[in-house]
Amino acid sequence: MTTPPHTADEGAELLPVATAARTRAALRTLVRPDRGLALTGIGVLVAATVIGLLVQPLLGRIVDVVADGRPAGDLTLPVVLLIAVAAVQGVTTTLGLTRVARLGETVLARLREQFVERALNLPADRLERAGSGDLTARVTGDVARVTEAVRSALPEMARSVLAIGLTLGALALLDVRFLLAALLAVPVQLLTARWYVRRAVTLYADQRVANGAQQQQLLETIGGAVTVRGHRLEERHTERGADRSRKAVDLTMRSVNLVLGFYGRLHIAEYIGLAAVLIAGFWLVRDGAVSIGTATAAALYFHSLFGPVNAALVLLDDAQSAAAGLARLVGVTDLAEQPEPEPAGKPEPGKPEAAGRPEPGRPEPAGKPEAGKATPGKAVPASVPRQRVASPEAAVSVHAVSHAYGPGRPVLHEVSLTLAPGEHVALVGASGAGKSTLARIVAGVQQPTAGTVTGPTAGAVTAPAGPGGPSVVLVTQEVHVFTGTLADDLRLARPDATDDDLRAALATVDALDWAAALPDGLATVVGEGGHRLDAARAQQLALARLVLADPALAVLDEATAEAGSAGARALERSAGAALTGRTALVVAHRLTQAVAADRVVVLEAGRVVESGPHEMLRDADGPYAALWRAWSGSRAAPHP
């Protein structure tokens, strides 16, 4: 289970953090596939530690030989044994630490893969409520903390704990009174550890939240720099960034003071324990209970505990920091595993269920798309399956869909919309009308707060898990060009596509000429570190992937907005070619897209206020006519 999500300032609902019990359970699950490696590594470290414990008795033997005035030849055997012990301990310690490190790296890789997979499948509205800074802080800072702990703290902690336990056992073998004397330091150490842990858990969790808020502020300020300057908000954003930075610095300084106090208390424990062992050795030697060499070995045993005990306690700092980071990572994976809440307004008996929620007992629909097809642009996550529902009247049916990004923040209000098979519908409206939200709901990327979305067998709105590809594809204005060859980027949509298939898709969207003119053609490396594609070409690449995926339904969310006026005209031709023969919902950035559509749907404040062909709405004295006059610059009065 997870704790309730933190709420940052300004209403951001941060992603949840897993409880300590849930974090431990997740860690056990991650380690379970490599139990053999864990047991082998620990076993080798135990052997190395036991071998290392022979050093102190051998040194005590040397002290006895010297104290008793024996011949120098009696020193040969203990000296040779010391050399052998050092060599064997070095080899076994290296083997043990290597296996423990391999275990840690394997578990860490598994954690990263799981986190990335689950994070990518989180609902879009959930990420928007949390803000990009929270997820960014977890992907960067928290993963880095866990990585550091696994690579350095985990092997050292394992070795330190073994050394402490076995050394205390060796003290008892010399004389149990040495062990009792050494244990006088334990109460101070335990109180120190308790004092530290009680403060560190909350402090490091607060520090993570503060760092996430700081990153969020920086992202918002830098990403919206043009808007900030346009509205003269520089001073306000600077003050807000400084305030969050001060909060992060204050928490950092508190953690530094906590660590300094922690070290000071550990030194007191060392002095108490060593003094007790030396006094006990003095009394036992005076009474003839042990030899000087045995007392020396006991003092050396306790002194050798300084390193492991301090390392184990000091590593609590890394452990607590890593535990806080791990809890935040597990919180995300658990959130992704939780089922989406059932939307309000269930359909009447006998009517099809909402997309992605099969009726109980109903078998999975047949007719999967062709294997090997992937989603170009922004794809429907595999975690949001959409059910195929037979409906001969419509390719897509949206019934009474409402959506809100939080309490008191409604975006859509009982929107109903029907797309006939093969129909192209343009969504238009002012910024904030809810066009993109409705498009993502139809594409299955986002679940509605209420209402249903259904689709027929012939034009399924489905994104099945497994090897099958999607039959609905969402392409937005934010298209990513993946690093790799142009061919590899295209084959994200259909891995089995031949070079001829790729060229045909590029030709469909009028991109073959520039693609062929690249230095290495389809083998040209594009993306970060390779040949950079401008916004128009990147969007054509996404449209070519759409053609390769060949979905029944395509959703375009302002897919020509980033190309500028001249580039947008070419992209509109490319988009029109890519949409040929399929049902399409287009969020129109330019009203020329609405002119080319079969039907125009006007959204205003989250409600459908007009619907019909372009000519009819243009000639009517309604919201679309006003939009058309403003966009086209026409001052002529509309026809009655």
Side-chain angles (χ1 to χ4, degrees), residues 387-589:
Q387 182 189 359
R388 298 183 178 190
V389 182
S391 175
E393 295 84 10
V396 180
S397 178
V398 178
H399 177 68
V401 162
S402 298
H403 189 75
Y405 287 106
R409 297 171 58 193
V411 178
L412 298 176
H413 305 272
E414 297 187 349
V415 173
S416 294
L417 175 67
T418 299
L419 278 74
E423 184 182 23
H424 291 183
V425 174
L427 277 180
V428 302
S431 178
K435 305 185 297 296
S436 293
T437 300
L438 180 59
R440 286 186 292 183
I441 288 174
V442 171
V445 173
Q446 200 159 303
Q447 292 295 325
T449 304
T452 60
V453 180
T454 58
T457 302
V461 186
T462 179
S471 56
V472 57
V473 166
L474 170 64
V475 181
T476 75
Q477 63 183 9
E478 300 173 356
V479 175
H480 182 71
V481 178
F482 294 88
T483 300
T485 66
L486 180 63
D488 289 341
D489 207 307
L490 288 167
R491 285 194 176 99
L492 290 172
R494 204 173 85 205
D496 61 347
T498 65
D499 286 353
D500 289 340
D501 294 331
L502 304 185
R503 294 188 183 94
L506 289 169
T508 300
V509 298
D510 295 327
L512 183 58
D513 289 342
W514 66 256
L518 293 175
D520 298 312
L522 292 176
T524 302
V525 176
V526 295
E528 193 69 29
H531 187 90
R532 302 300 296 269
L533 301 181
D534 59 26
R537 291 182 174 182
Q539 198 63 256
Q540 283 182 315
L541 181 59
L543 292 172
R545 288 200 295 255
L546 185 150
V547 173
L548 287 167
D550 192 23
L553 171 67
V555 180
L556 270 58
D557 185 3
E558 298 189 348
T560 65
E562 296 294 324
S565 297
R569 296 188 188 96
L571 274 183
E572 286 170 12
R573 292 193 296 270
S574 299
L579 298 179
T580 300
R582 65 185 95 256
T583 308
L585 180 65
V586 180
V587 177
H589 174 70

Side-chain angles (χ1 to χ4, degrees), residues 14 130-138 211-213 215-217 219 328:
L14 301 187
S132 56
D134 185 33
L135 187 61
T136 301
R138 299 186 191 221
N211 289 338
Q215 289 192 33
Q216 176 68 28
Q217 181 61 43
L219 289 171
R328 284 160 56 83

